[in-house]
Structures are given as structure tokens and as C-alpha cells.
Amino acid sequence: MSVTDRPVPSHDRIARAAFPRRRVLQAGLAAAAGAAVLQTTAPAEAAMRREGWIRSRIARMSVEQQVGQLFVMRVYGNDATASDNRNMNEYGVASPAEIVAKYHLGGVIYFAWADNLPTPAAGARLSNGLQRAALAAPGKVAVPLTISTDQETGIVARMPDPATVFPGAMALGAGRDPELTYDTYEITGAELRAVGVNNDYAPLGDVNVNPANPVIGVRSFSADPALVAELLVAGVNGLQSQQVSATAKHFPGHGDTDVDSHTGFPVIHHTREEWETIDAPPFRAAVEAGIDAIMTAHINVPALDPSGDPATLSKPIITDILRGELGFTGVVVTDSLGMAGVREKYGDAEVAIRAVEAGVDQLLNTPAADVQYNAVLDAVRSGRISRRRLDESLVRILGMKYDRGLHRDPFVDESAVDEIVGNATHKARAQEIADQTITLLRDDADLVPLPAGEVLVTGYGDTTTVNLAASLSDHGHPAQAFVTGSSPSQTLINSAVTRSAAAAVTVVLTYGADTNTAQQQLLQALRDAGRKVVVVAVRNPYDIAGLGDTPTYLATYSWLSVSTEALAKVLAGEIPAAGRLPVSIPSQADPDTELFGFGAGMDN
């Protein structure tokens, strides 16, 4: 079912009275006239209220407060008023609330490593504390915070246990059903909003056409632009149905690179025509669907801007293409300004100024807060950044906050967190979704479903191997786990071969085995010993390209618990391997030759 075809629940049912025909006609005409008036006046009145709220706050802000709205910074700790030395070292003030006040912040981003979300309840308390700080800072006009995080689902997720776990974007691409994607992000949105997060840096609009991509991979829905566009829209609608702003990333498209922009400066060599065909369609679809925000990429795309600047700092890309050609009127946020891809060419102060000049609205996770805040403030005071340009960003930022209801009530009910986050209904639906995503690409050995007898689970992942062994045992296939890791030594390989002698079949979990010789040697040693082997790629599906003629091969796109449980069901023959490959897998010897094409997959 298409997302746009989802039924809209109706809570108002009108009982029709048995009027004479003339009275029915008169009533119908009156109702039609009334509806016409409402249709023309209600939206206009709502737009005026929105405009009034935005303009009144901008007019009453000092320039320091206005500039502060452009910044989305990290804070350390999960108590808004508690001191933390990390805050003092980085910002010169001790508590998260003091950081909000010092920079008049427009937003905060949560990270697990910053101890913002040790538990859902702690996250909710922090969110309420930060919102109180934003609304009560001395002399500050009352503007609530954008509170953001990267809850992409799958392998990039910040929410702590017991938050609902999903298999991730590429698994959803394998599932092929927009309803699965809508439900994933609808539930994710509900759980984020319960802890006070009102802006999710997800879903990805990147089209992963490069198997060697070190930073995107399974975070992308697919290598097919049309499928990425369809599922991106479904994810946007799911998040925003829960009053959480969605953010498509990473514009203009990070799917064809072999460099990680966290540590380097990728160059995308697509022609303008290739960009229009491959990279642009998902972002165009997201804009048309009414997405709130789009995140920039720290990549160089010479066909779009020959200056050599990263897209984050490129006016031709952000203003001319994203806003002018794609018609995006929402918030543009940078990827983290601490990443190497945006810091190689200019200093931190100049990066912040140039991002605003390019058309960016929000500056995310600034690595030098004092330097970058004061640089933008000085640029506004000097006229390098005009008041009109600043005003454009403020209208967009405040408009997003208004549209998500933060002007009415930015606070969350802390007593309701446990009822929402990770509840049984959410988790059951997540498992149903994961059950539709496992892809069986080859079974020449006829090992799926598994034969009777003991199973050895070995290879990558301490938790993953143990979880899969336990799940297989629960589903009638007694299993033992033996972890060899991502780069097994010869001693571990020998031990795995020895242990596998007592097993009817050995399940080998791989992670990046297409380029990892140690994992390849493990598999070869098991096959040389005559073992029956089932290979499962638990991240990127491309592993088989380096594994020769492996006879039985599956892809899960995730090592998370819902994926291992779904895999166990498939291996036990309880459910079909319903997923279909959302990318193609090229031969390593000849990249123009496909080992498996887009849509490949077989039933067990």
C-alpha cells in the first residue's frame, strides 16, 4: 500500500436525520457555503497566527539571541542543571542549562557518548530541563529548543534500552513495502517525542550505488533512486505524523564515495545528468512531501560547483539548486561541523560564516563554539551577513518549531515515558517488519531450512553469535556459539574448524568479508574440512563478492536482535526469506558484471 493511500482515521461520525428533501437541500447548500468559508478563512487565519508568533519573537530578540538560534550544540550529561567538567572544558560553563543561556541556543543535539540518554526517563528529564532553560534565560525571548538526535534506526541509533529496535534502512529496502517504512518511523517518532526529541536526523536520501562506500552502506534504503525516494517519503510521513521533524540527509547525495567525510574530503564525480538521475530524485520527493529539514554533506561535487568547496559551504548547491531548483523552503542544517570533510579548506570561524552565506540555517555540533558563535555574530554586525539573510533563517527555524507544536508546549510527560518507549506493541511490530527483510541469495547446498542436528554459530560479533545461537535453539535447532570476530587469528580458525566437526551445519556470520582475508580464510578452512556451511552477511550484503562460490548465502543488513530473530525463523523454516536485494552486487574481478542484480532473492 502506498503511504499516500493510508486511511485517515475519522473520529467524528455524523448521524443523518430524516429531513424532508427541501430541508436536506437547504442544509446541504448551507453546509457547502460554510465549508467554503472555512476552507478559505481557517488556513489564512492559521497562517497569520504562525506569522505573528514568528515575527513577534524575531522583533524582540537581540542580535545575540538571533544568532544563537542558528546553533545546535551538544551538551554533556543528563541533568540540565548539574555541573560536568566536559562542559566547562569545552564551553567555559558547567551545566547544559548554562550552555543554552550563554549562546542563546536554538537547538541541542543528543549523543549516547555525551551521556544524554542513559535511559529514556533521563532523556525526558534532560529535555524538560533544557526547555525550561531556553524559556527562562534572563532577558531571553521565549523560544523553545529544537532537540535533535540521529535515530536513523538500524546500526545508527541513539535511543537506549528498552527503545524499540528496527533493522534499518537497507533492510527496509529489502522489504520493499512503504507501509513497513512508515510504521518504522511512526513508532520511532512516537518514542523520540516521548523523551522530548522533536527533530530526527533521518531518514537518509543517499542512493548507495558504490559497494565500497565506507560511511553510508546499509544506512541507505537502496541503490535504486525510485525505491529510495518512495521509502524516504514514507519515513518522512511516519516521523512527522508524530510531530517530529524529519531531516533527509546528506544533500546533494553521499551514496557514491569511497571516502568517509568524518575523516576525509570525498569528491563525487557524477556528471550533472548522473546527479539528476541518481542523487536528486529522493531529495526532490522529500521536498514535495513537505519535509521539515534537509542536512548537507561535506562532499565536493564539481559538476554542481567547480569551486572545490564542500556542499555545506556552496551557495550554488544550497541556494541555487536545493532552494531554487528543488524549491525547498524548509530548514537546511549542516552535518557536524567537527567532521574533517568541512574543515580542510577553511578555519572554523570562516566555515561557520560561509555556511550561512551559502544558505544554511542551522550550524550543527560546532567544534569551536566560542570561535564560531562570535564569528557569525561579528559577520552580522559588520554587514557581511545581512540582517535580511539572518532573518530568512530565523523565519525558517522558528517556523519549523511552530509547525511541530513547540510554541504551544515543548515539554513532555515524564510519567508516560515507560508506557511509550519500547512497549510491547511497538516491539511486536518491529519484529514483524524485520521478518519481511531477510534475503536468501543462494542455496545450492539446500541448507535452508537447516537440516536436523546441532548447529555451530561462529564468525563476527560477540552478541550477535550468542543471540543467533539462542534464537535457533528456541526454534528447534540446538546451537552453540563460538566467536571468532572480524579478523580471526589462525588459532581461532583452527578452533572453529575443530568445534564444527560435531555440528550438522555451521552458520558463519560475516562483516565486510569481501575485503577481509581473515574472514575469507575462516570460511575456506571450514569448507576444506568438508563442513556444511551457511554464510550470513550481517551488515553490507556485498560480502559474497570476496567469498568465491559460497553455496548458501543470506543477507540480513543488520546484526541487531530483531534481525537475528528473523534470521533464526528463516533458517528454521518458520517464515520465508521474503526480502529482495535492494542493491546489486558486482564481481570484484569485473565490476561491470553483476553476481546478483537488484531484486535478487529466493524463497526457502
Short mmCIF file of all heavy atoms in Angstrom, two decimals, residues 37 58 82 211 241 315 475 517 560:
data_model
loop_
_atom_site.label_atom_id
_atom_site.label_comp_id
_atom_site.label_asym_id
_atom_site.label_seq_id
_atom_site.Cartn_x
_atom_site.Cartn_y
_atom_site.Cartn_z
N VAL A 37 -16.29 28.80 3.28
CA VAL A 37 -15.77 29.89 4.08
C VAL A 37 -14.62 29.40 4.96
O VAL A 37 -13.57 30.02 5.07
CB VAL A 37 -16.89 30.52 4.94
CG1 VAL A 37 -16.30 31.50 5.95
CG2 VAL A 37 -17.90 31.21 4.04
N ILE A 58 11.15 37.34 16.58
CA ILE A 58 12.32 37.89 15.91
C ILE A 58 12.49 39.37 16.25
O ILE A 58 13.61 39.84 16.53
CB ILE A 58 12.20 37.71 14.38
CG1 ILE A 58 12.23 36.22 14.01
CG2 ILE A 58 13.31 38.47 13.66
CD1 ILE A 58 11.99 35.94 12.54
N ALA A 82 23.12 20.23 36.35
CA ALA A 82 24.28 19.62 37.02
C ALA A 82 25.58 20.01 36.32
O ALA A 82 25.64 20.11 35.09
CB ALA A 82 24.13 18.10 37.06
N PRO A 211 29.49 -0.02 -3.74
CA PRO A 211 29.66 -1.04 -2.71
C PRO A 211 30.80 -0.75 -1.74
O PRO A 211 30.80 -1.25 -0.62
CB PRO A 211 29.95 -2.31 -3.51
CG PRO A 211 29.35 -2.06 -4.85
CD PRO A 211 29.55 -0.59 -5.09
N SER A 241 4.22 12.53 11.37
CA SER A 241 2.90 12.23 11.94
C SER A 241 2.94 12.28 13.46
O SER A 241 1.91 12.45 14.12
CB SER A 241 2.42 10.85 11.49
OG SER A 241 3.09 9.81 12.19
N LYS A 315 27.08 28.02 -2.11
CA LYS A 315 25.84 28.73 -2.46
C LYS A 315 25.22 28.17 -3.74
O LYS A 315 23.98 28.04 -3.81
CB LYS A 315 26.10 30.23 -2.59
CG LYS A 315 24.84 31.05 -2.76
CD LYS A 315 25.13 32.54 -2.69
CE LYS A 315 23.82 33.34 -2.78
NZ LYS A 315 24.07 34.81 -2.70
N HIS A 475 13.99 -22.10 18.38
CA HIS A 475 13.19 -22.52 17.22
C HIS A 475 13.50 -23.95 16.78
O HIS A 475 13.26 -24.32 15.63
CB HIS A 475 13.40 -21.54 16.07
CG HIS A 475 12.82 -20.18 16.33
ND1 HIS A 475 11.48 -19.91 16.26
CD2 HIS A 475 13.42 -19.01 16.71
CE1 HIS A 475 11.26 -18.64 16.56
NE2 HIS A 475 12.42 -18.06 16.83
N THR A 517 40.62 -10.71 4.49
CA THR A 517 41.20 -12.02 4.17
C THR A 517 41.05 -13.02 5.32
O THR A 517 40.92 -14.22 5.08
CB THR A 517 42.68 -11.87 3.81
OG1 THR A 517 43.37 -11.22 4.87
CG2 THR A 517 42.84 -11.06 2.53
N LEU A 560 21.41 -6.58 14.55
CA LEU A 560 20.61 -6.28 15.72
C LEU A 560 19.65 -7.43 16.05
O LEU A 560 19.40 -8.32 15.25
CB LEU A 560 19.84 -4.99 15.50
CG LEU A 560 20.74 -3.78 15.22
CD1 LEU A 560 19.91 -2.57 14.81
CD2 LEU A 560 21.59 -3.44 16.45
#
